[in-house]
Amino acid sequence: MKKITIVGAGRVGETTAQILAEEELCREVALFDVREDVPEGIALDIVQTAPFFEFDCAVHGSNDPRILKDSDLVIVAAGFPRKPGMSRADVLESNIRVIDEVTDHIMAYAPETMVLMVSNPVDTLTYRVAQRTGWSRNRVFGQAGVLDASRMASFIAQETGFSARDITTMVLGGHGDTMVPVPRFCTINGVPLSYFLPEDRVEAIMERTRKGGAEILALRKNSSAYDAPGAAVAAMVDAIVNNRRRLLPCVALLEGEYGEADIAMGVPCVLGEKGVESILELELNEREQADFTQSANAVRSEIERLRDIQ
């Protein structure tokens, strides 16, 4: 991939840019932000780490949306972050106007690109971008499940003492308090999680996963998470750039899968060079399906709010 542009040079955007440059996942990383001089300063700081991390990826920033031109992938991390006590849905009204403007810039300067949404509430804003652009669902998708699954894996590692490298997890649904961790599809080096942990400990991990972002926000006080989100975005970019066809939980537009349509939420996706190449429809049990439907209802209520904001 030649060029990736990150919209929003906040902490998530900056961390993502640093990782993309270090791992040389493209030849050029561009940062776009409306704050005067900020993206240029961040780009310069990242470039000065090149001798240490031995990369020669070009990094630059601008306040001019024309920097989006010729982007193969645009990562949108712009908008207002939530504060302690706020849910992701609480920033919808503030962020919808930001995302609409960003979307218009993308359509004007990078009409052939793919869009990876990170801004919250990510399910609703992914839906919004897809509707506003009219682009196919393989080109507009969001990051959430990769991060949530990573958090769940780290909690399992802490609980069991096993290496996080051997832990595979799956989290579906909306990126919020109604997300659906699915322990039945979680394993430690292929062995089901239930072999190692009793049901009450698994339930505790599921609940901590749902509150994972809020836990960090409460501890940091003046900042939400950005290291793990940046790494999660980079993992998705790696799958696309290297056409790995990885099975990852991503926010995708549903067209009947899991009994849902006209909605965007987290499901297992095959991620490759064309973006979301397909969606895997797991056979959920009664409880899992009920939880997924509840999560879909929560996302749909946010989508309904979009009509009031317009």
Side-chain angles (χ1 to χ4, degrees):
M1 188 169 285
K2 182 180 177 183
K3 180 179 179 180
I4 297 174
T5 299
I6 301 169
V7 179
R11 287 174 169 173
V12 172
E14 180 176 355
T15 301
T16 301
Q18 179 74 56
I19 298 173
L20 298 186
E22 284 183 27
E23 297 187 0
E24 296 187 312
L25 291 174
C26 58
R27 294 304 307 145
E28 175 186 359
V29 173
L31 284 158
F32 169 59
D33 196 289
V34 296
R35 293 173 297 166
E36 187 175 358
D37 297 333
V38 168
E40 293 93 331
I42 290 172
L44 185 59
D45 195 17
I46 292 173
V47 165
Q48 291 171 4
T49 71
F52 300 110
F53 296 113
E54 300 181 338
F55 65 83
D56 59 8
C57 172
V59 185
H60 56 100
S62 177
N63 304 129
D64 188 336
R66 285 177 292 186
I67 198 173
L68 289 157
K69 184 174 171 56
D70 297 326
S71 298
D72 298 298
L73 173 67
V74 175
I75 300 167
V76 181
F80 297 91
R82 59 178 175 150
K83 297 178 181 179
M86 296 175 67
S87 71
R88 294 177 180 90
D90 290 336
V91 295
L92 175 60
E93 187 166 348
S94 300
N95 283 345
I96 191 64
R97 294 179 175 85
V98 174
I99 297 307
D100 282 353
E101 184 175 1
V102 168
T103 304
D104 292 343
H105 289 324
I106 293 171
M107 294 173 69
Y109 297 109
E112 303 301 321
T113 194
M114 291 183 283
V115 180
L116 197 173
M117 293 298 299
V118 183
S119 307
N120 277 316
V122 66
D123 307 278
T124 306
L125 294 181
T126 300
Y127 177 88
R128 177 70 163 205
V129 173
Q131 294 298 302
R132 197 170 182 87
T133 60
W135 295 348
S136 59
R137 70 175 180 176
N138 70 293
R139 292 178 60 192
V140 181
F141 45 93
Q143 189 288 123
V146 176
L147 171 61
D148 297 328
S150 175
R151 285 173 171 161
M152 187 176 186
S154 71
F155 297 149
I156 292 170
Q158 292 172 27
E159 181 76 19
T160 62
F162 287 113
S163 170
R165 298 178 64 175
D166 291 334
I167 299 172
T168 301
T169 54
M170 180 60 66
V171 180
L172 309 178
H175 184 52
D177 293 343
T178 62
M179 70 178 69
V180 187
V182 192
R184 195 161 58 91
F185 294 103
C186 300
T187 65
I188 301 177
N189 205 13
V191 180
L193 182 61
S194 58
Y195 187 87
F196 301 100
L197 294 175
E199 185 175 347
D200 64 324
R201 296 311 306 152
V202 173
E203 290 286 345
I205 289 171
M206 291 169 63
E207 183 60 20
R208 191 178 181 192
T209 300
R210 295 187 187 99
K211 307 292 186 181
E215 180 180 0
I216 292 172
L217 181 59
L219 291 168
R220 284 187 180 271
K221 296 180 176 61
N222 64 349
S223 169
S224 55
Y226 52 88
D227 288 323
V233 172
M236 294 178 68
V237 172
D238 174 74
I240 296 167
V241 169
N242 293 300
N243 192 28
R244 297 192 190 279
R245 304 193 78 250
R246 291 191 65 188
L247 183 62
L248 298 171
C250 309
V251 178
L253 275 292
L254 300 186
E255 300 173 353
E257 295 88 357
Y258 297 92
E260 301 292 342
D262 195 32
I263 191 173
M265 57 192 302
V267 289
C269 298
V270 176
L271 208 59
E273 64 182 354
K274 299 184 185 302
V276 174
E277 298 188 356
S278 62
I279 292 174
L280 177 65
E281 194 165 5
L282 300 172
E283 291 187 12
L284 303 181
N285 61 31
E286 186 174 346
R287 177 191 172 180
E288 292 160 354
Q289 184 61 58
D291 289 345
F292 189 89
T293 300
Q294 180 186 13
S295 188
N297 290 339
V299 174
R300 188 166 280 110
S301 68
E302 289 182 12
I303 291 174
E304 289 294 324
R305 285 178 58 198
L306 293 176
R307 298 185 177 91
D308 297 329
I309 295 172
Q310 295 180 58

